Amino acid sequence: MSTPIVINRYNGKEYFALERLAAGAPVGAFECRIGEYADYLREDAFRTQTDHVALTWLLRERENHGIAGYMSLIADAVKLSTAEKELHKLDYPFKTIPAMKIGKLAVAEAFRQKYRGVGTYLIYHAGRFARNSINPYCAARFLTVDADVEHDEGVLAFYQKTGFAPNAELTGKHRKTISMRLDLYV
Ligand SMILES: CC(C)(COP(=O)(O)OP(=O)(O)OC[C@H]1O[C@@H](n2cnc3c(N)ncnc32)[C@H](O)[C@@H]1OP(=O)(O)O)[C@@H](O)C(=O)NCCC(=O)NCCS
């Protein structure tokens, strides 16, 4: 097998184009190691977008036009403990801080063989959207995610590598997901 191409924020544009999910987009061929994530893209993503419940972005390979990955983004808020607020220098009497959430994120298995860093590249774009697109109109301090450790415990390490930290609230021993946040302004 040939060595995977390493994708990052500087070279990503050469290999991939990011586009909003549109009617008739060829999502049928998308295969992910966790079937639920492929099912969501094929069966639910367009409806949730039409209903303004989640907005999906596809990462399309320039060379062969295949869909390498996708992310669905939603508005969110995160509850922080006193210690967490101190950590982020957020000296406010309330717990809830505005955020943008990665509701779904997946990279097609075939593309995980060909490339490294596609998931990280999608997260980079999510952060960029929150900072540059939401920001002039509405505040969002964090990028959040519920890391789906039920399907893959390793996903926690993936999010930690991309800069997320687990939240004190909604993180417990027997949870199927771990609530995590990334500060967009540090
Ligand atoms: C999780 C997922 C999006 C990561 O995408 P990816 O393109 O493989 O990730 P990257 O190549 O950007 O990985 C960045 C780092 O995280 C590590 N990593 C990625 N996925 C990992 C996993 N599942 N377990 C452990 N480590 C992982 C990589 O090895 C890499 O580490 P390195 O920098 O030390 O080499 C992808 O594996 C996926 O689609 N999984 C199935 C769906 C899913 O679990 N989505 C998340 C739900 S919350």
Side-chain angles (χ1 to χ4, degrees):
M1 199 193 288
S2 54
T3 316
I5 301 165
V6 179
I7 297 301
N8 56 48
R9 68 183 66 183
Y10 307 106
N11 70 358
K13 231 177 166 175
E14 244 176 76
Y15 296 92
F16 297 104
L18 197 62
E19 61 187 51
R20 214 173 114 164
L21 177 64
V27 293
F30 186 85
E31 287 296 346
C32 176
R33 153 168 88 96
I34 302 172
E36 222 172 81
Y37 289 84
D39 294 345
Y40 169 81
L41 183 61
R42 292 194 207 115
E43 294 161 21
D44 298 321
F46 191 68
R47 180 170 67 92
T48 54
Q49 182 158 292
T50 311
D51 288 338
H52 303 279
V53 169
L55 209 142
T56 296
W57 290 89
L58 305 175
L59 193 70
R60 197 191 282 267
E61 192 190 37
R62 291 190 190 277
E63 190 183 18
N64 297 313
H65 309 290
I67 294 166
Y70 75 88
M71 61 181 172
S72 293
L73 303 177
I74 58 181
D76 193 28
V78 60
K79 282 193 175 152
L80 299 186
S81 67
T82 304
E84 287 170 335
K85 283 194 288 182
E86 275 171 17
L87 192 69
H88 294 281
K89 300 188 171 58
L90 292 167
D91 183 15
Y92 295 96
F94 46 84
K95 278 182 148 190
T96 309
I97 308 293
M100 187 181 86
K101 184 172 195 163
I102 299 175
K104 294 270 183 221
L105 171 76
V107 176
E109 203 45 37
F111 287 86
R112 292 187 71 236
Q113 317 286 325
K114 187 170 175 185
Y115 299 98
R116 288 265 164 79
V118 174
T120 306
Y121 186 59
L122 279 164
I123 288 173
Y124 158 71
H125 280 290
R128 199 175 61 81
F129 286 169
R131 275 188 295 260
N132 303 343
S133 303
I134 293 182
N135 182 46
Y137 303 102
C138 178
R141 172 69 187 244
F142 294 100
L143 198 57
T144 55
V145 71
D146 290 335
D148 178 1
V149 289
E150 184 192 17
H151 286 105
D152 176 9
E153 283 187 11
V155 89
L156 182 65
F158 163 71
Y159 283 116
Q160 283 173 324
K161 280 181 179 171
T162 50
F164 285 81
N167 299 320
E169 190 148 322
L170 299 180
T171 296
K173 228 178 171 184
H174 304 295
R175 292 192 68 86
K176 294 177 178 174
T177 59
I178 294 179
S179 169
M180 302 184 84
R181 70 185 185 285
L182 178 154
D183 193 333
L184 289 162
Y185 294 95
V186 286

